[in-house]
Amino acid sequence: MLIRLNVLNVSKKYQTDALKDVTFNLYDNEFLSILGPSGCGKSTLLRCLIGIERFDSGKVLFFDMDKEIDITNSRPRDRHMGIVMQNYALFPNMTVKNNIMFPLKNKKLPKDKIIKIVDDILEKTNLIEHQNKYPNELSGGQQQRVAIARTLVSHPDIILFDEPMSALDASTKIILRKFIKEIQKLYKISIIYITHDQEEAFAMSDRIMVMNQGEIIQIGTPNEIYKNPINDYVRNFIVNELNEKVRSILESIK
Ligand SMILES: Nc1ncnc2c1ncn2[C@@H]1O[C@H](COP(=O)(O)OP(=O)(O)OP(=O)(O)O)[C@@H](O)[C@H]1O
Ligand SMILES: [Mg+2]
């Protein structure tokens, strides 16, 4: 498996330790979820990775095939990453199309190239019929699709999701889950995905990272975590919270 991102001993202190010596790899095309209670450092980790927050110590390496690039001090736009937040963060006064086009505005690309890229993404994200609407004319699920489309124009290798579904109803969540998995395949991206929803993490992920109080407690496949929770915390907070449906799927895996 090819490594995409190598996070090494990342620590960050506010009044308390938000991240303590966080070390993990993210692999090529991997879907990695982060589970953990409120305040355990999940959002801080994503903000540090994309570079909108500085960390105090540690290193982040990005891999492009065999080429290792130290992005510890790079500008956010040079980190090969995009981020999608819970609240969509679309520009309310711009149409869907202009929202999606926005990241390309400063890139000095020829106009016909920009139009080609945006039209292609509108098509692949199923947004053509909504392209001239404003965000307030769209449902929450559609707005989130626009937010995802907007990150795709910059051709990220990694997309970070910070609880992208927590404002959506159950049936929209199911549709958007499928959408995110399809986009991941189509664009061959790696994903780090924060969620509060154990079921969602188990259904979507290649691996799950369990955090508590700024530290990684366990990282493994859903099956590994289910079968061998490393301590009582993981057992109580994750495994015992899973519903019957997820359990029976996991039980069937040897
Ligand atoms: N800008 C900030 N200034 C001071 N403290 C902060 C700041 N951002 C986060 N913290 C603190 O760092 C810790 C981790 O916060 P973080 O937002 O990363 O948690 P989280 O796991 O994303 O929680 P939630 O699930 O509620 O979103 C918390 O104790 C929080 O109070
Ligand atoms: Mg958070």
Side-chain angles (χ1 to χ4, degrees):
M1 252 188 310
L2 285 174
I3 294 178
R4 254 305 176 202
L5 203 63
N6 178 211
V7 179
L8 273 168
N9 308 104
V10 166
S11 295
K12 167 84 186 168
K13 211 182 183 82
Y14 293 112
Q15 287 85 350
T16 55
D17 289 320
L19 297 173
K20 281 185 267 184
D21 217 13
V22 168
T23 296
F24 67 97
N25 287 331
L26 175 71
Y27 295 97
D28 203 21
N29 290 317
E30 182 175 33
F31 195 112
L32 177 70
S33 287
I34 305 179
L35 277 174
S38 187
C40 75
K42 304 180 296 295
S43 297
T44 302
L45 176 60
L46 292 204
R47 289 201 304 270
C48 287
L49 292 180
I50 200 150
I52 50 184
E53 187 87 69
R54 289 253 154 183
F55 42 92
D56 304 329
S57 56
K59 232 175 172 185
V60 182
L61 306 173
F62 174 84
F63 291 85
D64 188 3
M65 302 301 280
D66 290 337
K67 203 166 80 201
E68 174 188 307
I69 309 166
D70 187 335
I71 58 167
T72 307
N73 298 307
S74 301
R75 293 173 301 185
R77 64 170 169 222
D78 295 330
R79 293 184 177 221
H80 305 259
M81 295 183 207
I83 190 161
V84 176
M85 312 278 203
Q86 177 186 338
N87 59 5
Y88 325 127
L90 300 175
F91 302 109
N93 57 336
M94 283 187 203
T95 62
V96 165
K97 187 169 192 166
N98 285 332
N99 262 286
I100 294 173
M101 205 180 285
F102 187 80
L104 298 176
K105 282 272 159 68
N106 298 323
K107 288 213 166 158
K108 296 197 178 65
L109 290 170
K111 200 153 186 220
D112 55 339
K113 178 112 196 268
I114 291 183
I115 289 170
K116 198 162 167 280
I117 295 172
V118 172
D119 282 347
D120 183 56
I121 284 171
L122 281 167
E123 194 201 322
K124 294 204 171 88
T125 52
N126 235 331
L127 285 166
I128 291 178
E129 60 176 310
H130 303 300
Q131 60 180 310
N132 296 317
K133 292 183 184 166
Y134 288 85
N136 67 2
E137 298 175 284
L138 300 176
S139 71
Q142 289 164 342
Q143 288 185 54
Q144 199 55 297
R145 250 168 44 213
V146 177
I148 293 167
R150 188 178 54 184
T151 68
L152 290 170
V153 294
S154 309
H155 296 295
D157 294 298
I158 301 166
I159 299 185
L160 311 175
F161 287 91
D162 195 345
E163 303 196 44
M165 311 240 199
S166 45
L168 303 175
D169 61 59
S171 59
T172 308
K173 278 183 189 175
I174 306 271
I175 297 169
L176 203 63
R177 274 186 199 174
K178 215 173 137 225
F179 173 78
I180 291 173
K181 294 294 277 188
E182 281 165 9
I183 289 295
Q184 177 182 26
K185 248 199 214 128
L186 197 60
Y187 286 91
K188 300 189 172 33
I189 42 180
S190 305
I191 287 177
I192 304 181
Y193 187 97
I194 298 179
T195 176
H196 263 110
D197 182 332
Q198 279 86 349
E199 263 85 43
E200 189 166 281
F202 275 74
M204 295 183 80
S205 312
D206 298 308
R207 283 189 308 157
I208 296 170
M209 182 162 121
V210 184
M211 288 182 71
N212 195 19
Q213 298 183 340
E215 290 179 291
I216 298 177
I217 307 298
Q218 187 170 10
I219 183 163
T221 65
N223 190 40
E224 281 163 3
I225 290 186
Y226 179 73
K227 299 268 162 68
N228 295 304
I230 197 165
N231 59 20
D232 284 345
Y233 172 77
V234 179
R235 190 172 297 112
N236 295 331
F237 177 74
I238 314 283
V239 175
N240 291 347
E241 291 291 317
L242 291 171
N243 67 24
E244 275 313 310
K245 196 171 152 212
V246 178
R247 284 166 178 278
S248 67
I249 295 169
L250 289 161
E251 287 296 340
S252 70
I253 303 170
K254 282 276 160 345

